[in-house]
Amino acid sequence: MITTLDHGPVRELRLARPPANALSPDLISALREAVSTAPEGGARAIVISGAPGMFCAGLDVPVLLELGRDDIRETWRSFYAMMRSLAASPVPVVAAITGHSPAGGAVIALYCDLRIMAEGDFKIGLNEVPIGIPLPPVILSVFRRVVGDRQAERLAVSGALLPAAEALRVGLVDELAPPEQVIARAVEHGQRLLALPPQAMSETRRVARAGLVRLLDEAGEEEVELVLRYWFSDETQTTLRGLVEKMAAKRKG
């Protein structure tokens, strides 16, 4: 589910779960493990990429709706552990957003140090509310950190998916690149960071990102249980099952 490609000291972790890189429990765990172990394998920076036209479609809702409460609890624990692995990575992490990146895909990107997105007709955003999921507090917090309080409130409550150019304008992504150059540009950004004096870069980065780690540590099991209550509420279950039905009808049509 993760293809590993080394570009010198920059390790690319390419999501490889066709057709949309939707986040199943196995992919969530695989990404957390790959990010956590990359520095041990000699990587001095990480790039997370996806498929052409689709970075990551977010949670695999059809799969998750079939799981019971205990399995969903473990999935959300794993998702929070994945976010923490990104927040606490001792080496820089750059998102090469190769296409659409809704919901969980946007979350992965938000926890990276930098976000390079393919220009063109691609969208990114936290569209949890329209699909029936209240936005978890730690995700709203990182969204605020990236785009500012007012923009985060507006975009999170509406669940807006922004075109690439608008995402750049509001600061959700840092740079746009032609689709075929997104990964190369992300690798270049990683290499540029590695060209800096390493101790100064690493320590400044650690201090700058300490708040992200602290948010996740403070959230802990209490927030996982909160999200679990959201997930199994009548409103969320009804909305998600309606979404799955529409997806199935679209495939048949």
Side-chain angles (χ1 to χ4, degrees):
M1 293 188 183
I2 306 283
T3 301
T4 300
L5 302 99
D6 286 327
H7 308 268
V10 180
R11 174 162 296 180
E12 180 187 351
L13 303 176
R14 186 173 297 177
L15 305 180
R17 185 173 182 258
N21 290 331
L23 294 168
S24 65
D26 287 345
L27 180 53
I28 293 168
S29 295
L31 181 57
R32 175 187 55 78
E33 179 73 9
V35 170
S36 297
T37 59
E40 300 168 11
R44 294 176 54 215
I46 296 169
V47 166
I48 300 178
S49 65
M54 178 60 75
F55 176 66
C56 173
L59 293 176
D60 192 334
V61 173
V63 168
L64 298 187
L65 278 177
E66 299 304 314
L67 301 182
R69 196 175 193 91
D70 288 343
D71 286 335
I72 289 294
R73 177 183 288 109
E74 287 306 310
T75 298
W76 278 104
R77 283 174 177 163
S78 182
F79 192 81
Y80 272 64
M82 179 201 72
M83 291 190 285
R84 193 186 188 284
S85 71
L86 291 167
S89 173
V91 301
V93 187
V94 183
I97 307 168
T98 50
H100 296 298
S101 187
V107 173
I108 292 171
L110 282 166
Y111 273 97
C112 293
D113 296 53
L114 291 163
R115 287 157 289 281
I116 316 300
M117 186 172 182
E119 59 190 13
D121 191 23
F122 302 114
K123 294 185 177 181
I124 183 171
L126 297 174
N127 63 323
E128 279 80 355
V129 168
I131 63 174
I133 303 174
L135 197 63
V138 294
I139 297 176
L140 183 56
S141 293
V142 72
F143 200 26
R144 285 173 171 160
R145 181 180 187 270
V146 172
V147 303
D149 287 350
R150 180 66 190 106
Q151 289 282 23
E153 178 187 344
R154 179 178 69 86
L155 296 172
V157 171
S158 65
L161 289 175
L162 301 181
E166 179 68 5
L168 177 66
R169 189 189 70 78
V170 302
L172 180 51
V173 301
D174 299 296
E175 182 181 319
L176 301 183
E180 69 277 7
Q181 295 179 21
V182 171
I183 293 173
R185 290 292 297 139
V187 171
E188 287 174 13
H189 273 281
Q191 292 169 335
R192 189 174 298 121
L193 289 171
L194 296 183
L196 297 168
Q199 179 176 306
M201 184 275 287
S202 296
E203 181 61 13
T204 302
R205 179 180 172 275
R206 184 192 67 78
V207 173
R209 294 175 65 81
L212 289 177
V213 180
R214 186 167 57 251
L215 281 169
L216 287 158
D217 288 344
E218 291 173 351
E221 190 67 16
E222 182 178 346
E223 188 164 317
V224 171
E225 290 300 319
L226 174 65
V227 175
L228 197 68
R229 290 198 296 274
Y230 293 162
W231 184 267
F232 284 103
S233 69
D234 290 342
E235 178 181 288
T236 297
Q237 288 287 303
T238 298
T239 307
L240 289 176
R241 292 187 185 281
L243 173 67
V244 169
E245 290 172 5
K246 288 180 182 177
M247 292 166 60
K250 186 176 181 179
R251 285 195 297 269
K252 290 179 182 178

